[in-house]
């Protein structure tokens, strides 16, 4: 659906440099996505296991983020493994799930630092929390990578263009 919106509005052509520039590194693109998603999950799990005095809803939120990120990474890997003619849609759904999970994390981080969260008032205005900053960086990089795949600037599915590493 996102690819259709990019095609309909013409934004996809503009950000992909009208297909004059593209990176033929599908393995590197996929491995980068896996590294970003698993790094994101590791930060969430570290926060989950080192901060035991947080409210229950925040514990569940961290667990859902970690599980969603690992599930997305598994789907990206499975989509890559299915490149020999198997079902491709799983890989696309996994990229979308990864973007959804990481974007939700950034949104919650921004809300928690600006408006505050119930039971976590001490985090309001604390922009210097290193795991949160690392989470935002990993999330931003993954969403940017996914956007570049959607627009065709990077290739994660070599069968679509018959490109190989």
């Amino acid at each position: 659906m996102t690819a259709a919106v990019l095609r309909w509005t013409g934004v996809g052509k503009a950000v992909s440099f009208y297909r004059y520039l593209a990176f033929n590194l599908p393995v590197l693109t996929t491995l980068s996505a896996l590294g970003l998603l698993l790094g994101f999950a590791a930060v969430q799990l570290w926060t989950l296991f080192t901060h035991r005095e947080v409210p229950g809803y925040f514990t569940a939120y961290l667990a859902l983020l970690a599980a969603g990120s690992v599930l997305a990474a598994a789907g990206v890997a499975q989509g890559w493994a299915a490149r020999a003619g198997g079902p491709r849609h799983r890989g696309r759904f996994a990229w979308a799930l990864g973007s959804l999970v990481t974007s939700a994390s950034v949104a919650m981080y921004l809300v928690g630092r600006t408006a505050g969260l119930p039971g976590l008032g001490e985090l309001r205005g604390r922009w210097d929390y290193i795991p949160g900053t690392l989470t935002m960086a990993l999330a931003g990089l993954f969403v940017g990578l996914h956007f570049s795949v959607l627009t065709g600037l990077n290739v994660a599915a070599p069968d679509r263009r018959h490109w190989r590493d």
Side-chain angles (χ1 to χ4, degrees):
M1 173 157 155
T2 307
V5 171
L6 290 172
R7 189 178 18 211
W8 179 73
T9 60
V11 172
K13 285 185 179 181
V15 297
S16 68
F17 300 104
Y18 293 93
R19 305 266 182 190
Y20 291 120
L21 175 68
F23 296 101
N24 180 14
L25 299 168
V27 173
L28 181 64
T29 302
T30 304
L31 290 178
S32 297
L34 292 174
L36 291 169
L37 286 171
L38 293 176
F40 180 85
V43 172
Q44 302 308 317
L45 290 173
W46 180 83
T47 305
L48 178 68
F49 290 123
T50 59
H51 295 76
R52 300 222 180 251
E53 64 279 350
V54 296
Y57 78 91
F58 195 72
T59 301
Y61 160 75
L62 291 173
L64 281 174
L65 285 180
S69 180
V70 169
L71 187 63
V76 167
Q78 184 182 15
W80 177 256
R83 69 184 184 273
R88 272 272 182 219
H89 63 280
R90 288 187 195 134
R92 287 188 214 122
F93 288 140
W95 281 85
L97 176 63
S99 286
L100 178 72
V101 167
T102 55
S103 298
S105 171
V106 169
M108 184 74 126
Y109 183 79
L110 294 174
V111 167
R113 296 313 182 267
T114 55
L117 295 171
L120 295 171
E122 66 274 3
L123 294 180
R124 188 173 184 195
R126 292 241 4 234
W127 296 95
D128 60 344
Y129 185 61
I130 293 173
T133 305
L134 183 59
T135 295
M136 283 187 41
L138 292 170
L141 287 170
F142 181 79
V143 170
L145 183 64
H146 183 210
F147 186 73
S148 73
V149 168
L150 286 175
T151 59
L153 187 60
N154 277 317
V155 176
D159 294 342
R160 287 178 55 191
R161 290 194 183 176
H162 306 290
W163 285 357
R164 304 278 183 251
D165 274 349

